[in-house]
Amino acid sequence: MRETKNLEFKESITNTFLKTVSAFANYSDGEINFGVKDDGTVVGVKDPVQTCLNIENKINDSIRPQVDYRLHIDEQTNVITLKIFQGLYPPYFYKEKAYKRNDSASVPVDSLELSRLILEGQNCSYDSLPSHASNLHFSILEKALQKKIGIEKLTPDLLITLGLREKNGKYTNAGALFADENDYRGIDLVKFGDNINVMLDRAQIEKVSVLKLYQDALQKYRQYYQNEVIDGAYRRKNEQIPENAFREAIANAIVHRTWDVNAQIKVAMFDDRIEVVCPRA
């Protein structure tokens, strides 16, 4: 057994475990086992009842806001398990710093990550925040909605309903993402030859609606991975890589990427595969 992103071992009680308490409370449930060496060797702790009281006092005195946790003593091994639950109101600070897990280590978050935690604690998201952009146009979105649900016109009230505009007239970041033109980095798509040193084609799709990002990426896929084959009296479509798989990969990359990071979705096209990498926190 080894330490993981959600499991940490402590042979003895030192204040460093409080960094991990902050990390688990900020991002995901986790456990700290006291009385276990880094290599997983069980040594137990002396006087586990008193040690539990010490752990409680350290957490209650040092972590703000208060976190939800449970303590359990294994009476056979004298190992104490501290279970920390992800909190509803991040960020959770230890000595005025918020922490996250980086593999099996607890490290301070940077300013961007701290901003995200603050938004999460306020039950907000980046998409819902007001955008600095103004005078946006939505012809691409309007055509898509006309085709899909039969609207006649994309009105300001409908934009508000969709969460793309606020009642005060300001657009949200989600609105800017769906606008015909915006300031966001998009997709860097490269078609390679026999290896990565042979670049056959490159398309950088940027500063346009996320709908156009999706459509243009799909068009590039069809250019290189679809063709028609004559089979007797019939003409059939041949796919080197399934279109549905590419659609899902690109859609997931656009939906789940972190748009407050100034970076592109990277799409690498090879003869036998397509690799999609999107910016994450």
Side-chain angles (χ1 to χ4, degrees):
M1 188 165 57
R2 61 177 293 272
E3 291 181 311
T4 67
K5 190 172 185 178
N6 298 99
L7 176 64
E8 182 166 281
F9 300 145
K10 291 293 183 184
E11 184 175 356
S12 58
I13 309 300
T14 63
N15 285 344
T16 57
F17 87 90
L18 294 166
K19 299 178 182 179
T20 304
V21 173
S22 166
F24 289 155
N26 281 324
Y27 289 97
S28 64
D29 298 352
E31 290 185 0
I32 304 174
N33 289 344
F34 297 93
V36 181
K37 293 184 177 181
D38 290 343
D39 61 5
T41 303
V42 174
V43 295
V45 298
K46 294 180 180 180
D47 196 351
V49 174
Q50 181 59 47
T51 302
C52 281
L53 291 175
N54 293 341
I55 292 171
E56 289 184 22
N57 289 333
K58 286 180 179 293
I59 293 175
N60 295 338
D61 292 343
S62 304
I63 305 295
R64 292 291 182 272
Q66 292 291 309
V67 300
D68 186 11
Y69 63 91
R70 301 289 184 274
L71 284 162
H72 172 74
I73 299 172
D74 187 320
E75 296 181 355
Q76 293 183 336
T77 62
N78 278 358
V79 169
I80 298 173
T81 298
L82 170 63
K83 174 76 173 181
I84 304 103
F85 300 95
Q86 182 178 359
L88 298 176
Y89 306 104
Y92 292 87
F93 292 96
Y94 168 58
K95 288 188 175 179
E96 300 182 352
K97 290 184 179 180
Y99 288 83
K100 67 177 181 179
R101 292 291 279 177
N102 186 0
D103 193 17
S104 60
S106 298
V107 298
V109 302
D110 59 23
S111 57
L112 178 60
E113 192 73 13
L114 181 59
S115 298
R116 292 177 182 147
L117 283 172
I118 293 171
L119 288 176
E120 183 180 344
Q122 296 172 344
N123 199 27
C124 295
S125 65
Y126 173 79
D127 295 352
S128 66
L129 294 177
S131 171
H132 297 296
S134 59
N135 195 29
L136 299 179
H137 303 282
F138 298 90
S139 62
I140 296 173
L141 176 61
E142 184 175 63
K143 290 178 182 177
L145 293 176
Q146 287 171 343
K147 182 177 179 180
K148 291 293 183 181
I149 62 176
I151 68 164
E152 293 184 4
K153 187 177 179 62
L154 187 57
T155 64
D157 286 344
L158 186 52
L159 287 172
I160 293 172
T161 300
L162 294 172
L164 307 182
R165 182 171 174 167
E166 297 179 332
K167 292 182 179 180
N168 61 12
K170 291 185 177 181
Y171 294 103
T172 63
N173 286 329
L177 286 167
F178 277 94
D180 296 342
E181 297 180 356
N182 55 49
D183 292 327
Y184 290 101
R185 307 292 301 277
I187 298 176
D188 183 14
L189 188 151
V190 180
K191 177 65 173 70
F192 291 100
D194 294 336
N195 56 66
I196 59 174
N197 297 319
V198 181
M199 189 182 297
L200 301 179
D201 186 17
R202 184 173 190 177
Q204 292 185 309
I205 313 164
E206 293 192 310
K207 300 184 178 182
V208 294
S209 169
V210 290
L211 297 176
K212 184 168 176 57
L213 290 181
Y214 177 80
Q215 294 164 0
D216 287 1
L218 186 58
Q219 184 176 351
K220 276 295 179 182
Y221 156 82
R222 290 171 176 166
Q223 178 182 342
Y224 289 107
Y225 296 97
Q226 287 185 351
N227 52 59
E228 291 188 340
V229 177
I230 304 298
D231 187 5
Y234 300 95
R235 187 189 301 268
R236 61 181 176 82
K237 183 171 67 175
N238 180 57
E239 294 181 352
Q240 293 175 258
I241 293 176
E243 180 175 315
N244 285 341
F246 181 76
R247 283 177 177 270
E248 184 176 355
I250 287 296
N252 284 337
I254 292 173
V255 171
H256 296 298
R257 68 152 292 171
T258 48
W259 285 101
D260 53 351
V261 173
N262 187 27
Q264 298 167 309
I265 297 170
K266 301 290 185 180
V267 179
M269 292 181 161
F270 301 90
D271 289 341
D272 60 346
R273 68 190 188 280
I274 301 175
E275 298 174 359
V276 180
V277 179
C278 64
R280 293 291 180 91

